Amino acid sequence: METRTEEPALDAPAGDEPAPSGHAGLTVVELREKLRERELPVSGTKAVLLARLAETGAAPATADDPGPDYSKLSRKELKLRRKAINTLAEELRRKRDELNLKSQSHAAERNELNAQAKALMDQVYAHRDRRNGLNVEVGETRDELRQLGPGVDQLREEFLKLKRARFAGSHLPPVPKLRRQIQELELKQMTSSMSIKKERALVEKIGTLQTQISEQDKLLETDPEVTAARDSFRQADQQRKELLRSMRRARDEAQAEHESMRDALRENRKTRKRADGAQRAFVRVKELADEVHAEYIEHLRELSEVDRARAERRRGTSQADAVESVADAEELFRKFLSGDKLSTEQLMIIQKAGML
């Protein structure tokens, strides 16, 4: 039986592993200077700046262009470097604060617009509920009219039939027809331009029609049964007219509520769109503020590095001065033992060194 031996995995090519960036040793200030030379954006954290340089194919720092080595800088150079970094840090801090204020303004605008949109949506719901309620009222009134209509028509037919039977030879015109003629003539009088003679004739005609209605009512009242049938019909017809007016009023109000609902909904959508725009502006400015803040922190770190280098430089100087002072004290002490005359200051140096 054959046994299979697992072959060792081949080593991955060396080129497959990402090589560390040659610019990693540069400070943020120096990275920005290189980006400015290439007319590229200088915003972002150190990692962003390094990536931006890498994308441009910029040559990495070499031995001739090493990263910052603060130990090789003089005290004056360190002081100047610190001043430059601090100036940039202050500019970034001010810019960050301005952006934060701007983002707060966008947030306040967004919140106000969202509140307006909510109020408008409440109006939409209120108009919708009133419209629906009025539509229900219209439907109920329509049902009443449908139930009432046949009865009114029947009362009318009974009244007319009885009137024709009792007053067959009178040739009485229908009162509704007379009333319609009067309305038409009155409308013509109000809307038409006519001479005094024609207007007088029109008024006389209206009076004649009204007289016919009055005489017909008097004639009908001579027959109690006809009068009762007429009154029953008129009462039912009046009820139907009131229901019809009520239905039309509710229908018109429902239509008005529907239009108000649509207007509020359109305004709500516009307001929400503006609120979304304010939100996008807030996010954009806030991200920029965070980016500037990250740059500010990078500069603070560089300040700490410079301060640490300056502190080490001061400690080194103090130690060198101390060694030099001991050597001077020993030399002065030898002169003192040889009997040379020393000044008070020289004696104090020997005493300070603990040799007296």
Side-chain angles (χ1 to χ4, degrees):
M1 182 176 179
E2 295 182 358
T3 58
R4 296 183 180 180
T5 58
E6 295 184 358
E7 296 183 0
L10 297 176
D11 293 336
D16 290 349
E17 295 183 1
S21 173
H23 297 103
L26 300 180
T27 65
V28 172
V29 177
E30 291 167 334
L31 289 171
R32 286 204 179 90
E33 290 176 356
K34 289 186 175 295
L35 288 169
R36 286 193 186 95
E37 292 173 359
R38 295 165 176 78
E39 297 182 353
L40 294 172
V42 295
S43 61
T45 62
K46 186 173 183 178
V48 173
L49 301 180
L50 287 170
R52 195 171 293 149
L53 272 176
E55 289 175 359
T56 62
T62 61
D64 297 332
D65 184 21
D69 187 358
Y70 296 126
S71 63
K72 296 181 179 180
L73 299 180
S74 65
R75 296 179 65 178
K76 183 177 181 180
E77 289 173 333
L78 286 172
K79 183 178 180 180
L80 292 174
R81 177 60 65 89
R82 189 187 192 285
K83 183 178 179 181
I85 296 173
N86 187 64
T87 300
L88 289 174
E90 285 300 310
E91 291 178 0
L92 289 170
R93 182 183 62 80
R94 284 193 294 270
K95 184 178 180 181
R96 178 204 62 189
D97 294 343
E98 290 174 359
L99 289 170
N100 280 332
L101 286 175
K102 192 173 181 181
S103 69
Q104 291 172 9
S105 175
H106 286 308
E109 180 185 6
R110 175 205 60 197
N111 294 340
E112 182 179 355
L113 289 170
N114 280 334
Q116 293 177 11
K118 183 180 182 302
L120 286 167
M121 205 62 201
D122 291 341
Q123 293 180 25
V124 170
Y125 294 143
H127 288 305
R128 182 200 62 184
D129 293 342
R130 285 195 291 269
R131 180 205 62 186
N132 293 344
L134 288 165
N135 282 335
V136 170
E137 183 179 341
V138 169
E140 292 174 349
T141 306
R142 185 184 294 113
D143 292 340
E144 289 185 49
L145 281 169
R146 287 172 179 170
Q147 294 176 1
L148 185 64
V152 175
D153 294 339
Q154 184 178 355
L155 289 173
R156 178 177 179 275
E157 290 299 326
E158 290 176 356
F159 162 63
L160 293 176
K161 182 178 180 181
L162 186 59
K163 185 177 75 169
R164 285 193 294 267
R166 298 292 173 86
F167 304 98
S170 301
H171 302 290
L172 300 176
V175 173
K177 182 179 179 180
L178 296 175
R179 294 188 188 280
R180 283 196 299 272
Q181 290 177 356
I182 291 173
Q183 290 177 354
E184 291 172 359
L185 292 173
E186 288 175 342
L187 180 62
K188 183 178 180 180
Q189 182 185 12
M190 290 186 294
T191 58
S192 301
S193 176
M194 60 185 69
S195 64
I196 297 175
K197 183 178 179 180
K198 288 184 178 181
E199 185 175 3
R200 186 179 294 114
L202 188 144
V203 171
E204 289 177 357
K205 190 173 182 180
I206 292 174
T208 300
L209 293 172
Q210 290 174 341
T211 300
Q212 290 180 12
I213 293 174
S214 179
E215 289 177 351
Q216 188 174 150
D217 286 340
K218 290 179 181 179
L219 180 61
L220 294 178
E221 288 175 359
T222 60
D223 189 324
E225 190 175 353
V226 174
T227 302
R230 181 199 63 186
D231 293 343
S232 297
F233 162 66
R234 286 183 176 178
Q235 183 178 1
D237 188 53
Q238 182 64 27
Q239 184 181 359
R240 180 171 62 178
K241 289 178 180 178
E242 289 177 357
L243 286 174
L244 185 60
R245 283 194 295 269
S246 177
M247 185 186 72
R248 288 173 177 170
R249 175 194 56 77
R251 184 187 60 194
D252 293 343
E253 290 181 2
Q255 182 62 29
E257 291 292 344
H258 179 71
E259 291 174 359
S260 297
M261 181 194 73
R262 288 193 306 176
D263 292 341
L265 187 58
R266 279 195 294 267
E267 194 63 28
N268 167 267
R269 288 171 178 168
K270 291 179 183 178
T271 305
R272 287 187 62 84
K273 188 175 181 180
R274 291 170 56 198
D276 292 341
Q279 170 66 10
R280 287 192 295 271
F282 164 75
V283 172
R284 183 172 61 253
V285 175
K286 189 67 174 66
E287 288 177 349
L288 185 57
D290 292 342
E291 187 175 311
V292 173
H293 178 69
E295 295 180 43
Y296 172 67
I297 296 301
E298 287 289 338
H299 281 69
L300 292 184
R301 291 196 183 100
E302 289 192 50
L303 280 177
S304 297
E305 293 177 7
V306 173
D307 289 340
R308 187 161 48 251
R310 294 180 70 192
E312 291 175 357
R313 181 62 54 81
R314 283 194 295 270
R315 284 195 297 271
T317 302
S318 299
Q319 292 174 358
D321 291 344
V323 171
E324 185 177 352
S325 297
V326 171
D328 291 342
E330 290 177 349
E331 178 65 24
L332 291 172
F333 186 65
R334 283 195 295 271
K335 290 181 179 181
F336 174 74
L337 293 177
S338 300
D340 294 345
K341 187 177 180 180
L342 301 178
S343 65
T344 304
E345 183 179 353
Q346 290 173 330
L347 290 173
M348 289 182 66
I349 292 173
I350 296 173
Q351 185 178 6
K352 187 176 181 180
M355 297 178 182
L356 286 180

